[in-house]
Amino acid sequence: AQKVTQAQTEISVVEKEDVTLDCVYETRDTTYYLFWYKQPPSGELVFLIRRNSFDEQNEISGRYSWNFQKSTSSFNFTITASQVVDSAVYFCALSDQRNAGNMLTFGGGTRLMVKP
Amino acid sequence: NAGVTQTPKFQVLKTGQSMTLQCAQDMNHEYMSWYRQDPGMGLRLIHYSVGAGITDQGEVPNGYNVSRSTTEDFPLRLELAAPSQTSVYFCASSSLSGRAYNEQFFGPGTRLTVL
């Protein structure tokens, strides 16, 4: 069975601070996919990133960066110089090779509040 | 393309009432699914379908029925609504292309309150 754990339920930071959202996953598959989604106050789900299990390179996209470590089954997400617009709920998710992205297992989400 | 559409956006029901949440996609996707989102629990899979006439249960199917008579539509039916079904419901669709990975497209969600 697959499982995704986001231990931080809520994080509050002041604008311009860096913040890291933790994600730990469990799967028996050797090939799988990891995702991060953002859910702003408007409620829709916004896709941020997908990572394949065989690609452990870290990725940076503007102020966002992701640290994938297979050895610790973690896929952490860092926002550098946070902004008020980053306030949202962030979900980490996992899909195994068999489902090829069609079926996702989500973590409980981390609510990030960025104060001005 | 409209993508994945869901109606209604908001709904309030009384306990015991029934209703259908609508989901449609115009991308000719074979795979469609319903998730519910509850605080602290993320999104959990209710039912899914790999094509017209084929449906299966996900993690939390009790109290919900689905049918898939066309490729485009995947309605979710609540027969006897209960307060425990108060949640935000997301429909999603994706291709079954045989590729290693298929991107999920999510609808905007339906916020349901059962009193």
Side-chain angles (χ1 to χ4, degrees), chain A residues 11 21 23 27 29 41 43 55 65 68 82 85 88 96 110-113:
Chain A
I11 300 175
L21 310 183
C23 173
T27 179
D29 295 293
D55 181 2
S65 62
F68 176 33
S82 60
V85 294
D96 60 26
T110 297
R111 180 178 300 276
L112 174 64
M113 293 173 287

Side-chain angles (χ1 to χ4, degrees), chain A residues 57-77:
Chain A
Q57 277 190 331
N58 291 332
E59 181 154 342
I60 298 174
S61 176
R63 295 184 299 107
Y64 294 171
S65 62
W66 290 269
N67 183 356
F68 176 33
Q69 291 198 340
K70 252 180 161 176
S71 60
T72 56
S73 297
S74 65
F75 185 42
N76 296 337
F77 172 31

Side-chain angles (χ1 to χ4, degrees), chain A residues 103, chain B residues 31 33-35 43-48 58-61:
Chain A
M103 192 180 294
Chain B
Y31 186 93
S33 55
W34 278 100
Y35 292 84
L43 280 73
R44 293 178 293 166
L45 184 66
I46 304 172
H47 285 286
Y48 65 96
E59 181 186 353
V60 288

Side-chain angles (χ1 to χ4, degrees), chain A residues 5-12 19-23 36-39 86-92 107-113, chain B residues 40 42:
Chain A
T5 302
Q6 295 178 253
Q8 307 149 307
T9 54
E10 275 194 17
I11 300 175
S12 181
V19 58
T20 295
L21 310 183
D22 297 332
C23 173
W36 276 96
Y37 285 85
K38 174 182 180 179
Q39 186 178 45
D86 295 327
S87 297
V89 180
Y90 291 86
F91 292 101
C92 181
T110 297
R111 180 178 300 276
L112 174 64
M113 293 173 287

